[in-house]
Amino acid sequence: GLDEFHWENYLKETGSLGAPSECFRQSKVPPANEFKVGMKLEAHDPRNMTSICVATVVGITGARLRLRLDGSDNRNDFWRLVDSPDIQPIGTCEKEGDLLQPPLGYQMNASSWPMFLLRTLNGSEMAPATLFKKEPPKPPLNNFKVGMKLEAIDKKNPYMICPATIGDVKGDEIYITFDGWSGAFDYWCKYDCRDIFPVGWCRLTGDVLQPPGTQGIDNKVSLISHPLIEEGQEHPQALEREVPITKSIAKTQSSLPKAAPHSMP
Ligand code: MLZ
């Protein structure tokens, strides 16, 4: 429709180019996302990366999974690509002689953890190993140049992928600036960061690409597509489906004081 963002028009109107796909640590063809809501897997706790926890897929968005650590609250969901090295099938940890850990924010008595784990995994749907894809290799060099366009995760709103521009390049680092936003969301990252994607990524994965912000734009209409030159086919919107937490977790959690919100390290 009229209110949609189209890269083709936007690149023309801003006289810019997308960063070549070889610049990114992403597979050329985005990996298929065959996970289902409710499946369980092992994930590194984002707030304590050395510990591996049980996570449930609570949403599917493009090539990413929305994950929630079992035994944790619903305010610390995180998103991972299906080819992220941070996720693995249930059983991987044990095979490597490690123990699955309670998540940071597990509010129950630590002694209840083994039984909680047992009840969590008992009868659960575990994501099969074939759904986990191999992480693509690092591009050998930082080939990003100032002014190149891309799609980038807004780290302050990590469910959002937004149109962005390379604002600076220093060695292995690049500065991600968000189009139409004042700079509050901008960040430095490594060139091989998994949170950035070539122009067209969301279109291919069915993820939602946010429209640019409106700051510094005098004619908003110039950003949106012309109805006559619009493609006829709309890609399916990957709307997230929220699932209720499993009964066993809900029951255990409701008998406890509310988890305090945790600050990121
Ligand atoms: N709720 C926020 C979202 C901003 C997202 C910006 N992404 C680059 C706001 O409207 O301020």
Side-chain angles (χ1 to χ4, degrees):
L2 255 179
D3 55 346
E4 267 179 78
F5 173 73
H6 287 277
W7 269 119
E8 202 187 48
N9 308 338
Y10 186 66
L11 291 179
K12 246 184 249 157
E13 284 158 18
T14 55
S16 49
L17 292 172
S21 64
E22 304 76 50
C23 291
F24 297 84
R25 186 172 198 176
Q26 301 295 350
S27 57
K28 262 232 172 77
V29 178
N33 190 343
E34 301 154 318
F35 286 83
K36 298 278 174 286
V37 166
M39 285 179 169
K40 295 201 187 285
L41 46 83
E42 294 180 1
H44 286 264
D45 185 341
R47 295 185 288 173
N48 184 19
M49 283 298 280
T50 56
S51 96
I52 301 175
C53 303
V54 180
T56 301
V57 177
V58 295
I60 307 280
T61 170
R64 297 184 300 160
L65 308 171
R66 177 176 178 166
L67 299 171
R68 188 171 299 165
L69 298 181
D70 287 41
S72 181
D73 54 89
N74 60 4
R75 298 188 184 171
N76 291 286
D77 290 353
F78 56 104
W79 286 257
R80 290 293 178 268
L81 288 161
V82 300
D83 59 6
S84 165
D86 298 344
I87 57 169
Q88 59 199 30
I90 297 280
T92 311
C93 205
E94 195 178 55
K95 237 187 271 166
E96 290 167 6
D98 281 334
L99 287 173
L100 285 168
Q101 299 296 317
L104 206 82
Y106 182 69
Q107 298 266 313
M108 288 165 262
N109 193 314
S111 67
S112 73
W113 173 247
M115 187 54 72
F116 177 87
L117 186 59
L118 209 69
R119 289 173 57 186
T120 293
L121 294 178
N122 185 31
S124 70
E125 187 180 3
M126 301 179 196
T130 51
L131 308 196
F132 298 81
K133 311 298 179 193
K134 217 178 126 216
E135 186 175 50
K138 270 185 184 203
L141 290 170
N142 182 1
N143 281 318
F144 286 104
K145 303 280 177 278
V146 171
M148 286 175 168
K149 299 284 184 194
L150 67 157
E151 299 180 6
I153 290 179
D154 173 352
K155 288 193 201 267
K156 292 188 177 167
N157 303 282
Y159 55 96
M160 289 185 174
I161 302 183
C162 311
T165 306
I166 302 293
D168 202 351
V169 180
K170 269 197 180 101
D172 276 359
E173 302 258 331
I174 53 178
Y175 193 60
I176 306 296
T177 68
F178 287 95
D179 288 35
W181 294 91
S182 62
F185 303 97
D186 300 353
Y187 58 85
W188 284 97
C189 66
K190 291 264 189 292
Y191 76 94
D192 59 351
C193 165
R194 299 302 315 280
D195 293 340
I196 56 171
F197 312 95
V199 162
W201 177 265
C202 284
R203 202 179 147 74
L204 290 174
T205 61
D207 214 336
V208 177
L209 178 66
Q210 300 295 131
T214 51
Q215 286 195 34
I217 289 154
D218 34 311
N219 178 15
K220 191 170 188 288
V221 174
S222 70
L223 285 181
I224 60 185
S225 62
H226 191 286
L228 296 179
I229 57 168
E230 191 178 58
E231 301 95 326
Q233 222 202 332
E234 302 283 338
H235 60 74
Q237 291 280 297
L239 290 176
E240 280 192 26
R241 290 151 286 161
E242 272 275 11
V243 285
I245 52 177
T246 62
K247 278 204 182 98
S248 63
I249 303 173
K251 216 167 91 194
T252 331
Q253 283 193 336
S254 61
S255 63
L256 285 158
K258 250 223 189 88
H262 300 277
S263 51
M264 298 290 282

